[in-house]
Amino acid sequence: MFDKQVYIGRRARLREKMSGGLVLILGNGEAPANYTDNTYKFRQDSSFLYFFGLNHPGFAGVLDVDSGEEFVFGNDVDMDDIIWMGPQPSVKELAASVGVAKTAPFAQLGGMLKQAVAAGRRVHFLPPYRFRNMLLIEDLLGIRHSVVKEHASLELIKAVVGLRSVKEACEIEEITKACNIGYEMHTAAMRHAKPGVKEQYIAGLIEGIAASYGSMVSFPVILSQNGQTLHNHDHSQVLQEGRMMLTDAGAEGNMCYCSDFTRTVPVGGRFNSRQKEVYNVVLAANNKAIEIAKPGVTYQHVHLEVCKVLAQGLKDLGLMKGNVDEAVAAGAHALFMPHGLGHMMGLDVHDMEDLGQIYVGYDDETRPINQFGTSSLRMGRRLQEGFVITDEPGCYFIPALIDQWRAQGLYKEFLNYDRIDTYKDFGGIRLEDDILIVPGGSRFLGDKRTPITVEEVEAMMNE
């Protein structure tokens, strides 16, 4: 938990952005895995953590924008809880630790909200993503759970996005810690990527590294020698010489801030010449983003410039042809990179995605481009100092997509299908770093950049 002044300041800035009424920030409850007493690992709602900092289930916070009053609603433990959990701080003590003086049992929350509604006051809430909270809002405000997201406050969404997008120094410190854990996870994966090793073993190993620091993985580990499948959670394969292993994984620290890296390495420790050629194209694309990302530039522009680097590199290898700028404008490059360059990162690995990606990654100035591949760019708006974003270009040879485009005759003026067909057994490469936008540019997060050049990767794998 940060110093209570951090949370006091955040709530004050939120009230300043709101026009009036009550702001309801719901925390999460426990979620049974297969029966009531066997729960999934608890994960607090990120916006509740941001404004109230209490990493405990069964809490809610309310801000009265007009009076300035703040409330925490929750229940003190009873003797049965103490027997199983040990002594716990009271709700009043917990609330005081984040600068809130007024508390009440959770059952009194409904009465406060209904009284506000009866007085004609607006109750602002964020779109819930867990069914428990959808049903809870139905009980509290009488809004059917099936339509509750439609009644979420756009004013509150934009206010929260405005605050959470620019990371404070204390947040950057926590993200850096998560990045340092991510470094250990990925270097361990590199050292174990040997022929005959099961993917599941390495996936479990790096999950254990995250857990050993008291944290957990920031999302389910993606680890596969079938890297052409973008989000491959199947870990059933045995690594084979001549293949590459793509690992997309990150850590979530004790303060719930996240990291998210991807590295692609040769099974056995040496890239062959064909792998090395494509790998260096992707690395050049990754480095291009670092070079041009800075305050005042849209990330949509960065994405498109990175795609030109990818297209030029593939043209040099004989896989693409024609004018590179025209190829990217048409979307021909998306055969190889059918996703966006990156996304916001912070308390969530896809930061604030629960609030609506269109509000997080875009604004009235920058709108999504409705084109295959580029339409998947999650972060497009103008960069500001303090943004933390991912830089993750890739190059994938997806046989089904290649066959479909060839059969449809798509982009024949830009794609050399005969040569592309010889790469159907290649797999995929993605190289991802977490970067912080700083005055005049950007920098990597973490005390050390995870090995990324061909020479660095091979050296790490052959220590």
Side-chain angles (χ1 to χ4, degrees):
M1 188 183 298
F2 298 127
D3 183 87
K4 67 180 180 181
Q5 293 301 325
V6 171
Y7 302 105
I8 291 171
R10 289 173 176 176
R11 294 192 299 268
R13 291 192 293 274
L14 178 60
R15 287 196 305 273
E16 290 171 0
K17 287 180 173 287
M18 301 299 295
S19 60
L22 298 183
V23 171
L24 169 66
I25 307 287
L26 287 176
N28 284 332
E30 296 280 18
N34 52 357
Y35 55 90
T36 303
D37 289 336
N38 187 33
T39 63
Y40 290 105
K41 182 176 175 63
F42 175 69
R43 178 48 158 91
Q44 184 59 284
D45 175 77
S46 293
S47 289
F48 186 83
L49 277 176
Y50 185 82
F51 292 108
F52 289 93
L54 303 177
N55 200 7
H56 301 271
F59 280 79
V62 173
L63 308 180
D64 189 319
V65 177
D66 304 304
S67 71
E69 293 177 294
E70 301 175 341
F71 303 84
V72 166
F73 290 85
N75 298 325
D76 288 324
V77 298
D78 57 22
M79 184 53 66
D80 192 52
D81 294 321
I82 293 172
I83 290 170
W84 290 100
M85 300 162 55
Q88 302 292 313
S90 67
V91 173
K92 195 166 204 57
E93 290 169 330
L94 289 169
S97 70
V98 293
V100 178
K102 297 186 176 182
T103 64
F106 200 89
Q108 294 183 18
L109 174 60
M112 169 185 273
L113 299 180
K114 288 170 184 174
Q115 184 178 4
V117 171
R121 303 182 70 197
R122 175 77 188 275
V123 176
H124 302 270
F125 60 87
L126 298 171
Y129 51 89
R130 289 195 179 183
F131 289 111
R132 174 187 176 274
N133 281 351
M134 293 179 192
L135 295 171
L136 179 58
I137 289 175
E138 180 174 330
D139 290 340
L140 294 172
L141 296 173
I143 302 170
R144 287 285 297 165
H145 62 272
S146 57
V147 297
V148 70
K149 286 189 176 183
E150 299 169 22
H151 291 265
S153 170
L154 183 57
E155 181 184 356
L156 179 58
I157 289 170
K158 290 185 174 181
V160 172
V161 169
L163 290 171
R164 285 181 57 187
S165 291
V166 177
K167 303 303 186 285
E168 299 161 277
C170 58
E171 295 181 281
I172 293 167
E173 182 179 345
E174 290 300 320
I175 296 171
T176 299
K177 291 177 184 177
C179 288
N180 290 340
I181 301 171
Y183 177 94
E184 293 197 29
M185 294 165 66
H186 280 272
T187 52
M190 290 177 184
R191 290 193 297 268
H192 286 81
K194 302 179 186 300
V197 177
K198 198 166 186 179
E199 295 167 343
Q200 187 176 45
Y201 174 79
I202 303 176
L205 177 72
I206 63 178
E207 286 186 19
I209 291 171
S212 73
Y213 285 92
S215 61
M216 60 182 188
V217 290
S218 51
F219 57 95
V221 170
I222 298 164
L223 187 150
S224 177
Q225 62 186 349
N226 291 319
Q228 74 278 6
T229 302
L230 302 188
H231 280 183
N232 198 333
H233 299 293
D234 174 54
H235 305 143
S236 64
Q237 303 294 308
V238 175
L239 297 182
Q240 299 173 19
E241 189 85 42
R243 304 289 298 278
M244 292 180 295
M245 182 183 77
L246 185 153
T247 304
D248 187 343
E252 180 176 288
N254 288 327
M255 295 280 288
C256 296
Y257 286 88
C258 300
S259 63
D260 182 6
F261 297 132
T262 306
R263 291 295 186 264
T264 308
V265 303
V267 175
R270 298 292 176 194
F271 289 99
N272 63 40
S273 59
R274 186 173 72 156
Q275 291 169 345
K276 191 181 299 186
E277 288 174 342
V278 178
Y279 187 96
N280 281 328
V281 171
V282 179
L283 178 57
N286 175 287
N287 287 334
K288 181 67 172 181
I290 293 290
E291 176 190 333
I292 64 176
K294 61 182 179 180
V297 174
T298 69
Y299 212 50
Q300 191 175 79
H301 169 76
V302 177
H303 167 88
L304 293 173
E305 291 301 305
V306 164
C307 291
K308 292 175 186 177
V309 172
L310 176 68
Q312 181 62 57
L314 295 177
K315 180 181 176 180
D316 294 342
L317 297 178
L319 294 159
M320 294 188 72
K321 57 188 178 180
N323 183 279
V324 165
D325 290 354
E326 292 176 3
V328 171
H333 68 283
L335 176 67
F336 307 100
M337 183 176 152
H339 63 74
L341 179 62
H343 50 81
M344 285 279 212
M345 204 182 68
L347 275 167
D348 306 307
V349 73
H350 282 198
D351 209 23
M352 300 174 283
E353 193 163 297
D354 59 305
L355 304 182
Q357 193 62 49
I358 192 66
Y359 306 118
V360 179
Y362 293 89
D363 54 22
D364 293 339
E365 177 196 14
T366 307
R367 306 305 294 167
I369 296 173
N370 186 23
Q371 181 189 76
F372 178 76
T374 304
S375 62
S376 296
L377 177 62
R378 297 175 183 273
M379 172 60 192
R381 65 186 171 112
R382 200 168 296 281
L383 299 173
Q384 298 178 42
E385 183 181 342
F387 280 13
V388 176
I389 49 180
T390 62
D391 164 20
E392 48 181 311
C395 183
Y396 317 88
F397 294 86
I398 306 169
L401 185 62
I402 294 168
D403 291 345
Q404 182 191 69
W405 279 30
R406 183 166 196 168
Q408 294 175 352
L410 297 180
Y411 308 116
K412 290 186 292 185
E413 66 273 34
F414 301 120
L415 299 172
N416 185 351
Y417 281 109
D418 288 341
R419 182 156 175 78
I420 291 168
D421 276 344
T422 68
Y423 279 72
K424 284 183 179 178
D425 63 343
F426 186 87
I429 294 171
R430 182 162 64 252
L431 299 174
E432 177 183 16
D433 290 300
D434 303 333
I435 62 176
L436 170 68
I437 304 302
V438 297
S442 63
R443 68 171 177 85
F444 300 110
L445 281 169
D447 292 341
K448 293 185 289 184
R449 190 183 188 187
T450 302
I452 196 167
T453 67
V454 166
E455 295 76 19
E456 289 169 347
V457 169
E458 291 183 347
M460 177 60 68
M461 297 183 74
N462 292 285
E463 281 185 344

